[in-house]
Every structure is written in C-alpha cells, then in structure tokens.
Amino acid sequence: MEAKLIERLEAAVARLESLSAGGISARGLPDGVDEVSSDPSILAFDDLMAQYAARVSAAAEKIGGQVLDVTKLVLEAFSVQKKLLIEIKQTQKPDMAGLVEFLKPLNEVILKVNAMTEGRRSDFFNHLKSAGDSLSALAWIAYTGKDCGMSMPIAHVEESWQMAEFYNNKVLVEYRNKDQIHVEWAKALKELYLPGLRDYVKSHYPLGPVWSASGKKASSALSKAPPPGAPAPPPPPPASLFSSEPSQPSSSNPKQGMSAVFQEISSGNVSVGLKKVTADMKTKNRTDRTGVVSASGKETHSSSPSFSKAGPPKLELQMGRKWAVENQIGRKNLVIDDCDAKQSVYIYGCKDSVLQIQGKVNNITIDKCTKMGVVFKDVVAACEVVNCNGVEVQCQGSAPTISVDNTSGCQLYLSKDSLGTSITTAKSSEINVLVPTGPDGDWVS
C-alpha cells in the first residue's frame, strides 16, 4: 500500500516538473501570469473597477441606447488597460515603434468610441463626447520619462478629464431638472477618473509604468513586416490617441469677404439680397417634403454654388421645434426670420456661407462648418461652435453662453448687450473676441 502511494506521489511530482518546464504553472496559466495577477497593483485595479465602474455601468443600463453602448466601450478600454499592465510586468521596455504596437489594443477601443461622435449629431452627443474625451486619460500608460512629451501620469489623468468635463457639465446642466439617471451617469463617470484612476496611478505608478528588466521583448511593427511577395498590409487607421502629428491651424485673420458681409449686416442694411424662408418652404406646408429649399429662378450669382457630397442642402423647420440648416455651400444670403424662443437652430456641414437669424431662439449649434458666418439677435440658452474651421459668429443682442470646442479659427463679434456673455473653449485654437468701441462702434479685439 505504501509502495503504491509513494509511486503515485512520484508520478505527480514528475508531471508538475514537466508542466513547469513547458512554461505552464500548476494552475494552468502561462508561467508568471498567475504571480503577476496577484500583484498588489493589479488587485488594486480590480478594486478600482468594482468601486467606480460598476456605478457607471448601472446608470448606463437604465438609460440604454447609445449611452449604454459607449459605456460598455469605456469599460472595455479599462479592461484592456489591465491586461497591458499585466503584460508590462513581464515585458522589457520597448522603443517608440514597439510601444505604439504594444498599445494598439487600447487605441483600437478608443477609436471605436471616437467613431460614435462622428456624423450627424446625436441626441446624446454630450454623453458620447464626455466618454470619448475621458479615455485620453488612459494614455498615462504611455509615459516613458520627462522627455517623452507628456505630462507626468497623475497630471495627465487630471488634464485629460478637464477636456471631458466640458461635455460632462453639459449633461449635468441639461438633465438636472429632467432625469436624475443621466445626472448619476455623469457624476459616476467623473468619479471613475477623479478620484478613481487618479488615485490609483498616484498610489502605484506616479512615475509611469515599470517595465520588466528581464522579461520578454515587446514586438514592434517592424518585426511584423510581411515576407517578400506577400500582399501589402492595409492602410493605417485614422489619427489615434497616441499619434503626435500636429493639426494644421487655419489663419486667425478674418476673411475680408466674410467681414464685409458682417459690416453690411451691422450697418442695418440686412434686407437686400437675403433669401427669406417663406411659408411654403416650411416642412409643415410642403407637398414634396424632401427638405430641400429650392432657389428662386430670379436669383443670379457670378458663380453657381456647389453642393455638399454629404447630402442635399436643407433649410427647413422640423416638427415645429428645430431649424435644420445643412450642407449649404456658397450661400451668402440665407435668413431665418420666422422663429421663436422655443425653437433651436442646428447648422451642419455648411461651407462658405452666411446665415442670419432674425429673432430670438432657444439654442444655436454650428457643427462641422468651414468658413461659415452666423449672425443672430438673441439666444435663450447658448450658441455652440463644434468641430469647425474658420467660422465667424456675431451676436447682435444677448447670449448667456457661447462655447467653442474642437475648432480652429473662430471670430466672435459681441454687441454692447452681450459683453457679459460667458465664453468657454476646449481643444480650440485661434479664438478672437471682438467688441464694439467708440462712437462709431468699431470692432476691436
């Protein structure tokens, strides 16, 4: 009996030795992963997710739709970061090409989130942008030293959230008196980063990730080059979180043509040449209901305006609540004169055009426009400029707030009644604010 027991023990020991020699631990995990998974920093990351991520997820489940989809991607990005932290403890510090390749799984998730904010603006645009911008905080893992061009990890997390907070605050303001679940989601998202991620990084990686001195080497993109004769790899993805290519700024000087239009409007000569929205152009009174405003046969131009490839031009009132001005190219005489304080104006994909809004409206949004001029009298809530390039906005009356986000080149002309306007900017450049001065009302910045 004893001989058989000894024989079985010897066989078990021999099996364990063979598993160890093959790089597999006794629990069936790759050699070293079991030990790394029990590292205090990895366990603390699990605590971070359990404490903060669960709250964001619970709120998103109640909201559903795009908010739930983007929240799932945020949590997926955090999950990918945990896997990368485990890999870092077993991998030697790579060169820059190797680091980009190493971080590719995280970047792919971030690109998915960014894709959700593209195209026509969603009703949950602020949720999507808040979540998407917040993920740049996860790039702290790419910190390699003071000469890498990044802020130190703790500061990077805080600075990244400041970008996301621009939209997170909009969610809080919009739903404060409407739906507390959205407010809960916004607060939980912030706490995931501040104090959640920030305190985690402060406790375990204040100087950045610690790579293994004797671990395996990280593979780089160069090491994965196809052999001769193999088909060429697909083209690179769009600009990512970890790319360092600078954007091309546009000129901050206002174009003389656009400024001349503003000067004419400011002088009071606003009725000449303006294309008015008549009753038959409104959606509720249209028979074709295509949403395309036809040009008058008497209208003449030195050059025919082009049309956007994104879709047909629109200038219409939708459902009695929202003016849609879309894909207008080369139209310098657009005007909305039959509006009220309950209606909003959404301007999308316009280029080299000028729109005048005669009357008080609730909200104005200018999205993905280039060389666009907008003149309005009064706005109840805010005028927002998003994803634009070289736009000019003139307020002839009052506006509580004007916000500019992700825009290069924006001229803001304020009236004497709007000098108290709150102006907020995020991820934008070349923003000029001009105010009237002197008896002649000359513009000065």
Side-chain angles (χ1 to χ4, degrees):
M1 186 69 178
E2 292 182 358
K4 289 184 178 182
L5 181 59
I6 293 173
E7 190 175 318
R8 291 175 62 186
L9 287 173
E10 289 177 347
V13 171
R15 176 167 176 76
L16 288 173
E17 289 176 347
S18 65
L19 287 173
S20 179
I24 304 296
S25 70
R27 289 180 56 182
L29 297 172
D31 196 24
V33 172
D34 190 28
E35 180 180 350
V36 172
S37 299
S38 302
D39 186 273
S41 64
I42 303 302
L43 295 177
F45 196 92
D46 291 335
D47 293 340
L48 163 69
M49 297 299 291
Q51 182 176 357
Y52 296 104
R55 183 182 168 195
V56 184
S57 180
E61 289 282 353
K62 296 178 181 178
I63 298 172
Q66 288 184 312
V67 178
L68 177 58
D69 293 340
V70 77
T71 302
K72 287 180 178 179
L73 288 175
V74 169
L75 301 186
E76 181 182 344
F78 271 81
S79 178
V80 170
Q81 177 147 105
K82 176 189 173 182
K83 294 177 182 178
L84 293 178
L85 290 172
I86 293 175
E87 285 289 321
I88 284 175
K89 292 184 175 296
Q90 305 171 87
T91 307
Q92 296 181 28
K93 185 177 180 180
D95 57 15
M96 185 54 65
L99 181 61
V100 172
E101 185 68 22
F102 181 83
L103 297 174
K104 188 176 180 180
L106 177 58
N107 187 54
E108 289 175 346
V109 181
I110 295 173
L111 288 176
K112 290 180 184 178
V113 177
N114 291 338
M116 295 184 68
T117 65
E118 297 175 354
R120 296 194 61 178
R121 192 162 184 166
S122 161
D123 291 338
F124 301 107
F125 178 80
N126 293 326
H127 297 74
L128 302 180
K129 284 290 289 182
S130 179
D133 289 355
S134 72
L135 288 180
S136 63
L138 298 181
W140 71 266
I141 198 174
Y143 183 81
T144 56
K146 62 180 181 180
D147 297 326
C148 71
M150 291 177 57
S151 299
M152 293 190 68
I154 300 172
H156 176 81
V157 173
E158 293 175 339
E159 292 166 2
S160 297
W161 175 253
Q162 289 175 5
M163 295 190 298
E165 194 165 32
F166 179 82
Y167 292 99
N168 200 64
N169 286 341
K170 288 186 176 184
V171 176
L172 293 173
V173 171
E174 180 180 358
Y175 290 94
R176 181 172 49 197
N177 299 320
K178 291 169 55 177
D179 192 336
Q180 287 301 308
I181 296 299
H182 292 263
V183 175
E184 170 70 13
W185 180 88
K187 290 181 178 180
L189 183 68
K190 178 177 181 177
E191 291 181 4
L192 176 61
Y193 294 94
L194 303 180
L197 182 63
R198 179 196 60 194
D199 289 356
Y200 170 78
V201 173
K202 182 178 180 180
S203 299
H204 299 280
Y205 299 101
L207 302 178
V210 180
W211 299 82
S212 173
S214 58
K216 61 184 179 181
K217 291 185 178 181
S219 60
S220 66
L222 295 177
S223 65
K224 296 185 177 181
S240 68
L241 174 69
F242 304 105
S243 65
S244 57
E245 295 181 3
S247 59
Q248 297 294 331
S250 64
S251 172
S252 60
N253 297 323
K255 305 300 181 185
Q256 292 188 0
M258 191 75 74
S259 297
V261 174
F262 278 140
Q263 184 65 34
E264 184 178 355
I265 292 173
S266 298
S267 66
N269 186 21
V270 299
S271 60
V272 179
L274 289 175
K275 181 179 176 184
K276 296 184 179 295
V277 180
T278 58
D280 62 307
M281 292 182 179
K282 299 178 182 179
T283 304
K284 63 181 181 179
N285 298 327
R286 299 271 299 284
T287 56
D288 60 322
R289 303 186 64 91
T290 60
V292 181
V293 178
S294 59
S296 171
K298 298 180 181 179
E299 193 177 11
T300 59
H301 297 280
S302 58
S303 61
S304 299
S306 58
F307 297 96
S308 170
K309 296 180 180 179
K314 291 183 181 180
L315 200 166
E316 64 182 15
L317 179 62
Q318 299 176 342
M319 306 298 291
R321 300 296 299 272
K322 175 182 175 182
W323 285 96
V325 184
E326 300 180 6
N327 306 317
Q328 299 286 347
I329 311 296
R331 300 281 187 178
K332 299 291 179 65
N333 56 357
L334 301 171
V335 60
I336 297 174
D337 60 356
D338 185 12
C339 51
D340 60 53
K342 294 182 179 180
Q343 296 172 347
S344 63
V345 180
Y346 180 59
I347 308 162
Y348 176 81
C350 298
K351 182 177 181 181
D352 195 25
S353 299
V354 176
L355 170 68
Q356 184 180 5
I357 304 169
Q358 297 180 345
K360 179 182 289 189
V361 293
N362 183 269
N363 184 75
I364 300 172
T365 301
I366 309 168
D367 187 7
K368 287 192 176 179
C369 294
T370 302
K371 296 181 181 178
M372 181 69 186
V374 177
V375 183
F376 66 91
K377 287 190 175 180
D378 299 288
V379 65
V380 176
C383 175
E384 301 173 272
V385 182
V386 186
N387 304 321
C388 292
N389 189 0
V391 297
E392 300 188 26
V393 179
Q394 180 177 1
C395 176
Q396 295 181 319
S398 61
T401 302
I402 297 178
S403 63
V404 183
D405 177 63
N406 198 29
T407 293
S408 178
C410 180
Q411 306 286 335
L412 301 177
Y413 297 81
L414 302 182
S415 67
K416 292 182 179 180
D417 295 332
S418 59
L419 296 181
T421 298
S422 173
I423 300 175
T424 60
T425 63
K427 296 192 296 184
S428 300
S429 62
E430 304 174 58
I431 310 299
N432 288 333
V433 180
L434 297 97
V435 296
T437 183
D440 297 329
D442 296 331
W443 297 106
V444 296
S445 58

Coordinates of all heavy atoms in Angstrom, one line a residue, residues 7-26 28:
E7 N 4.6 5.7 -5.2 CA 4.7 5.6 -6.6 C 3.8 6.7 -7.3 O 4.1 7.4 -8.2 CB 4.3 4.3 -7.1 CG 4.5 4.0 -8.6 CD 4.2 2.6 -9.0 OE1 4.5 1.7 -8.2 OE2 3.6 2.4 -10.1
R8 N 2.6 6.9 -6.7 CA 1.7 7.9 -7.2 C 2.2 9.3 -6.9 O 2.0 10.2 -7.8 CB 0.3 7.7 -6.5 CG -0.4 6.5 -7.0 CD -1.7 6.3 -6.2 NE -2.7 7.4 -6.5 CZ -3.8 7.5 -5.9 NH1 -4.2 6.7 -4.9 NH2 -4.6 8.5 -6.1
L9 N 2.8 9.5 -5.8 CA 3.4 10.9 -5.5 C 4.5 11.2 -6.4 O 4.6 12.3 -6.9 CB 3.8 10.9 -4.0 CG 2.8 10.9 -2.9 CD1 3.4 10.8 -1.5 CD2 2.0 12.3 -3.0
E10 N 5.3 10.2 -6.7 CA 6.4 10.4 -7.6 C 5.9 10.8 -9.0 O 6.5 11.7 -9.7 CB 7.3 9.2 -7.7 CG 8.1 9.0 -6.4 CD 9.0 7.7 -6.5 OE1 8.7 6.9 -7.4 OE2 9.9 7.5 -5.6
A11 N 4.9 10.1 -9.4 CA 4.3 10.4 -10.7 C 3.7 11.8 -10.8 O 3.8 12.6 -11.8 CB 3.2 9.4 -11.1
A12 N 3.1 12.3 -9.7 CA 2.5 13.6 -9.6 C 3.6 14.7 -9.7 O 3.5 15.7 -10.4 CB 1.7 13.8 -8.4
V13 N 4.7 14.4 -8.9 CA 5.8 15.4 -8.9 C 6.4 15.5 -10.3 O 6.8 16.5 -10.8 CB 6.9 14.9 -7.9 CG1 8.1 15.8 -8.1 CG2 6.3 15.1 -6.5
A14 N 6.6 14.3 -11.0 CA 7.1 14.3 -12.3 C 6.3 15.1 -13.3 O 6.8 15.8 -14.2 CB 7.3 12.9 -12.8
R15 N 4.9 15.0 -13.1 CA 4.0 15.8 -14.0 C 4.2 17.3 -13.8 O 4.2 18.0 -14.7 CB 2.6 15.3 -13.8 CG 1.6 16.1 -14.6 CD 0.2 15.4 -14.6 NE -0.7 16.2 -15.3 CZ -0.8 16.3 -16.7 NH1 0.1 15.7 -17.4 NH2 -1.7 17.1 -17.2
L16 N 4.2 17.7 -12.5 CA 4.4 19.1 -12.2 C 5.7 19.6 -12.8 O 5.7 20.8 -13.3 CB 4.3 19.3 -10.7 CG 2.9 19.1 -10.0 CD1 3.1 19.2 -8.5 CD2 2.0 20.2 -10.5
E17 N 6.7 18.9 -12.7 CA 8.0 19.3 -13.2 C 8.0 19.5 -14.7 O 8.5 20.4 -15.3 CB 9.1 18.3 -12.8 CG 9.5 18.3 -11.3 CD 10.5 17.3 -11.0 OE1 10.7 16.4 -11.8 OE2 11.0 17.3 -9.9
S18 N 7.3 18.6 -15.4 CA 7.1 18.7 -16.8 C 6.3 19.9 -17.2 O 6.6 20.6 -18.2 CB 6.5 17.4 -17.4 OG 5.2 17.2 -17.0
L19 N 5.3 20.2 -16.5 CA 4.5 21.4 -16.7 C 5.3 22.6 -16.6 O 5.2 23.6 -17.3 CB 3.2 21.4 -15.8 CG 2.1 20.4 -16.2 CD1 1.0 20.5 -15.1 CD2 1.5 20.7 -17.5
S20 N 6.1 22.7 -15.5 CA 6.9 23.8 -15.2 C 7.9 24.0 -16.3 O 8.2 25.2 -16.7 CB 7.6 23.7 -13.8 OG 8.4 24.8 -13.6
A21 N 8.5 23.0 -16.8 CA 9.5 23.1 -17.8 C 8.9 23.6 -19.1 O 9.5 24.2 -19.9 CB 10.1 21.7 -18.1
G22 N 7.6 23.3 -19.3 CA 6.9 23.8 -20.5 C 6.3 25.2 -20.4 O 5.7 25.7 -21.3
G23 N 6.6 25.9 -19.3 CA 6.2 27.3 -19.2 C 4.8 27.4 -18.7 O 4.1 28.4 -18.9
I24 N 4.2 26.4 -18.1 CA 2.8 26.4 -17.6 C 2.9 26.2 -16.1 O 3.5 25.3 -15.5 CB 2.0 25.3 -18.2 CG1 2.0 25.4 -19.7 CG2 0.5 25.4 -17.7 CD1 1.4 26.7 -20.2
S25 N 2.1 27.1 -15.3 CA 2.1 27.0 -13.9 C 1.1 25.9 -13.5 O 0.4 25.3 -14.3 CB 1.6 28.3 -13.3 OG 0.3 28.5 -13.6
A26 N 1.2 25.6 -12.2 CA 0.3 24.5 -11.7 C -1.2 24.7 -11.8 O -2.0 23.8 -11.8 CB 0.7 24.2 -10.2
G28 N -2.4 26.1 -14.5 CA -2.8 26.0 -15.9 C -2.6 27.4 -16.6 O -3.0 27.6 -17.7

